[in-house]
Amino acid sequence: RARRTGPPDGGWGWMIVAGCFLVTICTRAVTRCISIFFVEFQAYFGQDYARTAWIHSIVDCATMLCAPLGSLISNHVSCQVGIMLGGLLASTGLILSSFATSLEHLYLSLGVLTGLGFALCYSPAIAMVGKYFNKRKALAYGIAMSGSGIGTFILAPVVQLLIEQFSWRGALLILGGFVLNLCVCGALMRPISLKEDCKTAPEFLEQDYVPETEKQDLKRMFICSPLIKLWPHECLCYCSWKEYDFLLMPGFMVLAVSVLFMAYGCSPLFVYLVPYALSVGVSHHQAAFLMSILGVIDIIGNITFGWLTDRRCLKKHRYFCYLFAVGMDGLCCLFLPALQSFPLLVPFSFTFGYFDGAYVTLIPVMTADVVGTSLLSSALGVVYFLHAIPYLVSPPVAGWLVDTTGSYTASFLLCGFSMIFSSALLCFARLAKKIKRLHLRSLTGNTALKQHIWTNGAIAYSVTAELDQKDVEFLAVDTNSFSNR
């Protein structure tokens, strides 16, 4: 298969977007709709809300916790196989759940098995979009990620209707058949071979996203190993060589810490917005309408913010657009305890929903900007893995604060400050990076770095040299002798 020099930004890429859109419906939207079964599970098994609520937490946690496994299968087998296998596991889990006789049964089948299936599908599908798009990447992700909001908006009433017509067992059985569409989505994920996925050593030395330590290791290996002289003509697959080395990149480490705080802050609001609205005198119908508003505006945020950040004027500032969106959601949470009527909660749902959709769209884009497209699948697996623990513990912690204080104020304030800290951490990291760059520039006196030119017989490579002259002469002699063979 011929290698492309860059992502096609269209063509079959739009089918990849459609497949990812369906994957988000079958995974994230179905996960949200599991909360509709809570009342049915409570009534049938005679358990309290706390024990029943663990089902939703385990599904979310398993989906994010096993995300690196999905990336591993996608990298070493294929994205198609990983998504199809995930679809079969998720469908099996839902079907087995329809025969459940206890909550423990549901913990294993609906929680662990279905969550594992979703994990094998979610991050590989999102990573495939990044491989097919570059110029319109944010827009493509906006469309693909909007499946979560659209799916929730459509599936929620459908699931309620299925429960009324066929009971919760029949509804789970039908959902199991619906989730089998993940296998169709997997078939759409046609693999693509990009030039940056398989590079020669000199080309890796020129990449900005490759850490300086890796560049030094690569240079030393190029000098010392007698087999390295083959590298200019043979592909070096960096992903299989050290596909998780990005974990030591300072930029990714800061992003990882910020994701932990962001995930903690965003999760409880979706659980406690309706109970809070009911506690301040809002009717059940109006409280449900607030969630509908949040879901629909989430879709608008996915698509419009993706389109806006693809514009030339904002494309270079997507980092700060992400910070702004996360920070705005944090501010919304801080002001929420003061909003104690339906007319005041409606603007909150609009604002929080829009910026929630905005930063969710930019998470894969931010990750790709930090680690590069070739490592995106592995990096997304780790990023979504980091969501697991906050998703698991934040709703119970927020509930404990409500029980202890007798109000929702402490819970919402903790969520707000957590998201604001996540945004501020990334902002300070970027400022520190700029200050360091200016300091280095002042030390060097704005003089250009000395460069050495060497060839492999046909192509001249320009590498910023930190090697001594003997090393350069060795490389030149070695490559010339190889080209004369």
Side-chain angles (χ1 to χ4, degrees):
R1 186 186 292 113
R3 287 189 191 90
R4 291 179 175 269
T5 56
D9 271 296
W12 191 258
W14 293 116
M15 293 301 295
I16 300 297
V17 170
C20 187
F21 176 84
L22 291 174
V23 167
T24 55
I25 290 177
C26 293
T27 55
R28 303 310 299 156
V30 169
T31 300
R32 289 183 180 181
C33 288
I34 290 175
S35 60
I36 299 173
F37 291 91
F38 278 4
V39 176
E40 302 296 327
F41 291 155
Q42 278 184 287
Y44 186 86
F45 295 110
Q47 299 292 337
D48 58 15
Y49 181 82
R51 290 197 64 193
T52 309
W54 276 105
I55 299 172
H56 189 277
S57 294
I58 293 173
V59 174
D60 251 340
C61 182
T63 300
M64 299 306 176
L65 196 66
C66 299
L69 179 60
S71 299
L72 189 68
I73 294 175
S74 175
N75 290 339
H76 293 280
V77 183
S78 78
C79 182
Q80 292 173 316
V81 171
I83 295 177
M84 289 181 177
L85 178 60
L88 290 174
L89 289 175
S91 178
T92 302
L94 286 164
I95 292 172
L96 290 177
S97 298
S98 66
F99 300 99
T101 57
S102 65
L103 281 184
E104 288 73 17
H105 186 162
L106 288 173
Y107 292 162
L108 293 175
S109 59
L110 189 55
V112 177
L113 189 57
T114 301
L116 174 61
F118 288 164
L120 298 184
C121 302
Y122 192 55
S123 56
I126 293 174
M128 283 295 291
V129 176
K131 287 184 175 293
Y132 271 83
F133 286 88
N134 183 27
K135 295 179 181 178
R136 291 179 283 185
K137 183 183 291 185
L139 175 61
Y141 272 126
I143 296 172
M145 304 293 280
S146 67
S148 177
I150 294 175
T152 304
F153 182 72
I154 296 174
L155 281 180
V158 171
V159 169
Q160 185 61 50
L161 182 63
L162 290 174
I163 292 173
E164 293 172 1
Q165 294 294 323
F166 305 106
S167 80
W168 64 268
R169 295 186 185 275
L172 285 175
L173 194 62
I174 294 171
L175 274 181
F178 173 74
V179 167
L180 274 175
N181 284 294
L182 286 169
C183 296
V184 179
C185 299
L188 292 174
M189 300 296 169
R190 180 187 298 171
I192 184 173
S193 181
L194 299 176
K195 187 178 180 181
E196 68 178 75
D197 292 334
C198 200
K199 288 182 178 291
T200 60
E203 290 170 328
F204 269 115
L205 295 177
E206 296 174 0
Q207 297 300 313
D208 293 334
Y209 61 80
V210 178
E212 286 298 323
T213 55
E214 295 300 329
K215 291 183 180 181
Q216 298 305 317
D217 291 343
L218 199 57
K219 289 174 184 177
R220 286 194 294 269
M221 291 174 67
F222 197 92
I223 294 169
C224 299
S225 173
L227 299 177
I228 299 303
K229 61 186 179 182
L230 300 176
W231 285 4
H233 299 281
E234 299 292 332
C235 275
L236 171 66
C237 188
Y238 188 67
C239 292
S240 61
W241 179 44
K242 283 186 176 180
E243 64 184 38
Y244 286 100
D245 274 2
F246 62 83
L247 292 172
L248 300 178
M249 294 172 58
F252 185 82
M253 293 173 70
V254 173
L255 178 64
V257 175
S258 73
V259 163
L260 289 173
F261 286 94
M262 180 272 294
Y264 179 90
C266 71
S267 182
L269 187 123
F270 289 96
V271 179
Y272 294 106
L273 177 60
V274 172
Y276 171 73
L278 294 174
S279 71
V280 296
V282 175
S283 68
H284 285 78
H285 176 74
Q286 290 174 330
F289 185 62
L290 290 174
M291 286 300 294
S292 297
I293 292 174
L294 200 150
V296 172
I297 300 302
D298 188 278
I299 303 165
I300 298 174
N302 284 143
I303 298 175
T304 60
F305 212 76
W307 180 83
L308 286 172
T309 51
D310 269 340
R311 301 304 94 195
R312 184 173 297 179
C313 58
L314 290 178
K315 193 168 187 176
K316 294 181 180 179
H317 306 289
R318 289 189 296 208
Y319 189 93
F320 292 102
C321 290
Y322 173 83
L323 302 187
F324 177 73
V326 175
M328 284 299 296
D329 265 1
L331 287 175
C332 288
C333 291
L334 293 183
F335 284 107
L336 183 55
L339 309 177
Q340 299 191 4
S341 65
F342 181 72
L344 293 176
L345 287 171
V346 168
F348 166 82
S349 291
F350 271 94
T351 308
F352 186 89
Y354 182 81
F355 287 109
D356 179 75
Y359 76 74
V360 166
T361 294
L362 290 181
I363 287 175
V365 180
M366 284 277 296
T367 308
D369 289 345
V370 172
V371 304
T373 303
S374 61
L375 299 176
L376 181 59
S377 179
S378 299
L380 275 179
V382 174
V383 167
Y384 290 126
F385 168 83
L386 293 172
H387 284 68
I389 302 303
Y391 276 7
L392 183 66
V393 303
S394 57
V397 170
W400 176 79
L401 287 173
V402 174
D403 293 335
T404 303
T405 62
S407 72
Y408 291 87
T409 302
S411 298
F412 292 145
L413 289 180
L414 183 59
C415 291
F417 283 123
S418 180
M419 298 189 78
I420 290 174
F421 179 79
S422 172
S423 178
L425 181 64
L426 290 175
C427 183
F428 288 140
R430 178 54 64 95
L431 290 176
K433 185 177 180 180
K434 285 190 175 183
I435 292 172
K436 182 180 178 181
R437 190 178 299 167
L438 291 174
H439 179 65
L440 290 175
R441 188 176 298 173
S442 65
L443 289 178
T444 57
N446 294 322
T447 56
L449 292 173
K450 186 178 179 181
Q451 292 186 332
H452 296 293
I453 308 298
W454 56 280
T455 69
N456 66 353
I459 303 174
Y461 295 98
S462 176
V463 179
T464 301
E466 297 177 7
L467 308 174
D468 57 27
Q469 189 62 32
K470 292 182 180 180
D471 294 334
V472 177
E473 292 174 358
F474 171 79
L475 292 175
V477 172
D478 191 48
T479 52
N480 288 333
S481 63
F482 182 79
S483 63
N484 292 330
R485 291 181 183 178

